[in-house]
Amino acid sequence: RVNLSRDFWQDMFPVWSPDGASLLFTSNRDGNTEVYLLRTDGISVNLTNNPSADKNPVWSPDGARIAFTSNRDGNWEVYVMNADGSHQQNLTNNPAWDSDPAWSPDGKHIAFTSNRDGDTEVYEMDADGRQQRQLTRNRADDRAPAWSPDGKRIAFTSNRDGNWEVYVMDANGGRQSNLSNSPAWDQGPVWSPDGSRIAFTSNRDGNWEVYVMDVEGKSQRNLSGNPAWDYQPTWSPDSARIAFTSNRDGNWEIYAMNADGARQTRLTNDSRD
């Protein structure tokens, strides 16, 4: 087992860098929720360093910028900063809350979640915050968008069929359909970089686990297979590994496994062990 960092607090929401050399994650190790960078040498760097809460970081495709969610202006908004944490700025700037940013593969657009129209919907904007437009229009809640690697489709989570499911739509909001179609809760979809699979979280086996399916919703199976909670999957750039969050060792830590569920290894480590 490889321990890349040791910390008493909760480490969550891992996201691999485009070059596969580091991970972004969220932690409260400094007393409030911040965005950190975890290098392969085990050094963790606080990038946001703000007294408010910062979370949900995502890399731009070129690795030069990071979008994230923060409540530093009094409500949740989508922000962006350089990869070293400099030049942090509010992109959405709306009196409603905006969250769950996701970069398009070409780096020109960011999809996000907002409740500005009274319920939670998926929106999209230019990478500089301009041209914000609504993609889903449903009385239920739609959230957690994720672009396909070719930029043609967006997966998201919705409860429009009575429970949370993984849906997919065209990048312009057209042809919305249910992919996971399960009586349990399925949420948090992420595409594999090779475009062949979607990882997601489900409680269909009695607790939250990391699952995978093909992009048509077929061949759904449990990858993490642990009696604890495993969720928030993210793919490595080569589609060979999946990082995720688990509380199997008593607190929330970041783990990684092969894309078939093998070799599950803890990456961050609680110093109480």
Side-chain angles (χ1 to χ4, degrees):
R1 133 176 163 173
V2 179
N3 298 325
L4 293 183
S5 71
R6 297 177 89 56
D7 197 85
F8 180 83
W9 302 100
Q10 295 180 351
D11 302 328
M12 307 176 74
F13 298 104
V15 184
W16 247 302
S17 61
D19 62 6
S22 57
L23 278 168
L24 290 174
F25 67 101
T26 299
S27 180
N28 64 349
R29 58 182 65 183
D30 286 342
N32 65 298
T33 305
E34 302 279 4
V35 174
Y36 284 78
L37 176 70
L38 176 63
R39 303 188 324 215
T40 54
D41 60 5
I43 301 298
S44 299
V45 180
N46 184 340
L47 294 181
T48 48
N49 197 23
N50 190 278
S52 298
D54 304 313
K55 63 179 185 178
N56 302 125
V58 287
W59 295 92
S60 63
D62 62 5
R65 291 173 292 170
I66 297 167
F68 63 100
T69 304
S70 179
N71 66 354
R72 62 184 65 182
D73 288 339
N75 64 302
W76 294 109
E77 300 279 4
V78 175
Y79 286 72
V80 69
M81 61 182 169
N82 291 340
D84 62 2
S86 63
H87 300 294
Q88 299 178 27
Q89 63 179 105
N90 184 339
L91 289 184
T92 49
N93 197 22
N94 191 279
W97 64 259
D98 304 311
S99 185
D100 303 331
W103 293 86
S104 63
D106 62 8
K108 295 180 179 180
H109 305 278
I110 296 175
F112 63 100
T113 300
S114 180
N115 70 347
R116 59 183 67 181
D117 285 337
D119 62 340
T120 307
E121 302 283 359
V122 175
Y123 287 74
E124 181 246 18
M125 61 182 168
D126 295 346
D128 61 3
R130 298 178 182 177
Q131 303 295 324
Q132 298 182 27
R133 65 190 187 93
Q134 188 173 345
L135 295 182
T136 62
R137 298 179 183 275
N138 196 282
R139 292 183 179 179
D141 287 332
D142 303 321
R143 65 188 189 190
W147 295 82
S148 63
D150 61 8
K152 295 180 179 180
R153 292 185 290 174
I154 297 175
F156 61 100
T157 304
S158 179
N159 65 353
R160 60 183 68 179
D161 287 338
N163 63 300
W164 292 104
E165 301 280 1
V166 175
Y167 283 72
V168 69
M169 62 182 170
D170 293 341
N172 63 3
R175 295 194 303 171
Q176 299 177 25
S177 61
N178 186 338
L179 273 188
S180 58
N181 198 23
S182 167
W185 281 17
D186 304 320
Q187 58 187 16
V190 285
W191 297 78
S192 62
D194 63 12
S196 66
R197 291 159 292 173
I198 296 175
F200 61 100
T201 304
S202 179
N203 67 351
R204 61 184 68 180
D205 286 338
N207 63 299
W208 292 107
E209 301 279 4
V210 176
Y211 283 72
V212 70
M213 61 182 167
D214 66 31
V215 295
E216 303 303 325
K218 300 176 181 179
S219 302
Q220 300 181 28
R221 64 190 186 93
N222 185 339
L223 290 184
S224 53
N226 193 278
W229 281 16
D230 303 318
Y231 71 125
Q232 299 166 347
T234 181
W235 294 86
S236 63
D238 61 3
S239 299
R241 300 274 283 167
I242 296 174
F244 61 99
T245 302
S246 179
N247 67 349
R248 61 183 66 181
D249 289 321
N251 67 299
W252 295 110
E253 301 282 1
I254 297 168
Y255 288 73
M257 60 183 168
N258 290 350
D260 62 0
R263 292 185 57 208
Q264 298 185 27
T265 305
R266 194 199 308 192
L267 298 184
T268 62
N269 191 17
D270 189 331
S271 60
R272 291 173 293 183
D273 291 351

